[in-house]
Amino acid sequence: GIQVEQSPPDLILQEGANSTLRCNFSDSVNNLQWFHQNPWGQLINLFYIPSGTKQNGRLSATTVATERYSLLYISSSQTTDSGVYFCAADRASGAGSYQLTFGKGTKLSVIP
Amino acid sequence: DAGITQSPRHKVTETGTPVTLRCHQTENHRYMYWYRQDPGHGLRLIHYSYGVKDTDKGEVSDGYSVSRSKTEDFLLTLESATSSQTSVYFCAITGNEGAEQYFGPGTRLTVT
């Protein structure tokens, strides 16, 4: 199956700083999503981005499918951004199973 | 927020007992998934469903079975719970092919 690797595994930021999280995947994908798991355990979908760039407020994401990576940018970080960020991908097999394989996540701590 | 509920939210059970977790959605979405989340492993797919009575295995399906008799309900059963099945279980849904995946609040299961 597809391999999904995220870096860095841990990140500590001062409030107001910017950050970039990276997701590498081992195969062509037709589905790439970013999720945020807050400290209470809830998983929130941030972006569905198999290719191209999207922005939502202070967050933006870019996927370069030909080079098999995706980046999540967080600008002007806030303490509420703390939690774990997951990247998940589905291989472009044409089989239509729509199964996501998750990376192990980047744990972000934003300190005041 | 996607209309996904899970029950129970917390459960403690003894080794060898059967356990059923329920996922209920109000979105009429076709695809439903069960994941488990464990430290160091991220989220791993157990089983998924692509329609009523249509299910398939995921990465870690041993010891689990599922059923989907109605669009809105997806049940996960541990026939004989073991301590290795202590975990947080998440249900997820996705509607159209390749679209965003949304998660329920999770069920924390402890097998003693």
Side-chain angles (χ1 to χ4, degrees):
Chain A
I2 191 169
Q3 307 298 314
V4 179
E5 295 184 355
Q6 294 185 241
S7 59
D10 296 279
L11 185 59
I12 299 174
L13 293 177
Q14 200 77 36
E15 196 170 25
N18 303 327
S19 63
T20 301
L21 282 58
R22 186 176 179 101
C23 173
N24 293 330
F25 39 92
S26 61
D27 207 342
S28 299
V29 298
N30 61 4
N31 187 343
L32 190 292
Q33 299 185 39
W34 284 95
F35 298 86
H36 174 224
Q37 186 169 37
N38 65 26
W40 297 271
Q42 181 64 40
L43 282 152
I44 306 298
N45 190 295
L46 297 176
F47 293 103
Y48 166 70
I49 187 165
S51 63
T53 298
K54 288 186 177 179
Q55 181 156 5
N56 184 1
R58 295 181 296 103
L59 273 59
S60 64
T62 295
T63 297
V64 183
T66 53
E67 298 187 20
R68 300 182 183 173
Y69 73 88
S70 183
L71 302 175
L72 178 69
Y73 306 95
I74 304 174
S75 64
S76 303
S77 59
Q78 301 176 357
T79 56
T80 53
D81 295 329
S82 295
V84 182
Y85 290 81
F86 290 102
C87 168
D90 185 18
R91 190 165 58 92
S93 64
S97 64
Y98 313 112
Q99 300 181 56
L100 288 177
T101 298
F102 281 74
K104 287 183 167 48
T106 291
K107 183 178 180 181
L108 175 65
S109 300
V110 181
I111 56 178
Chain B
D1 290 342
I4 312 169
T5 56
Q6 294 184 229
S7 59
R9 294 292 314 280
H10 302 270
K11 186 171 183 65
V12 179
T13 192
E14 294 184 349
T15 297
T17 60
V19 176
T20 296
L21 309 182
R22 180 181 183 236
C23 177
H24 179 78
Q25 60 145 330
T26 59
E27 307 295 323
N28 200 35
H29 281 352
R30 178 183 176 188
Y31 296 93
M32 299 185 75
Y33 309 81
W34 277 107
Y35 294 89
R36 60 178 289 174
Q37 185 176 29
D38 305 288
H41 290 279
L43 286 111
R44 293 179 292 174
L45 183 65
I46 305 172
H47 281 279
Y48 68 100
S49 171
Y50 46 95
V52 173
K53 298 186 179 179
D54 291 324
T55 65
D56 206 347
K57 296 179 180 179
E59 177 188 356
V60 290
S61 59
D62 287 349
Y64 301 95
S65 62
V66 290
S67 66
R68 191 168 178 199
S69 59
K70 299 184 290 185
T71 298
E72 58 266 36
D73 289 325
F74 192 31
L75 304 180
L76 177 71
T77 297
L78 291 65
E79 300 289 348
S80 178
T82 67
S83 58
S84 64
Q85 294 175 312
T86 292
S87 186
V88 179
Y89 291 86
F90 286 97
C91 173
I93 65 174
T94 186
N96 301 324
E97 296 175 352
E100 293 91 338
Q101 196 162 118
Y102 297 100
F103 281 81
T107 294
R108 183 173 295 276
L109 176 68
T110 301
V111 183
T112 61

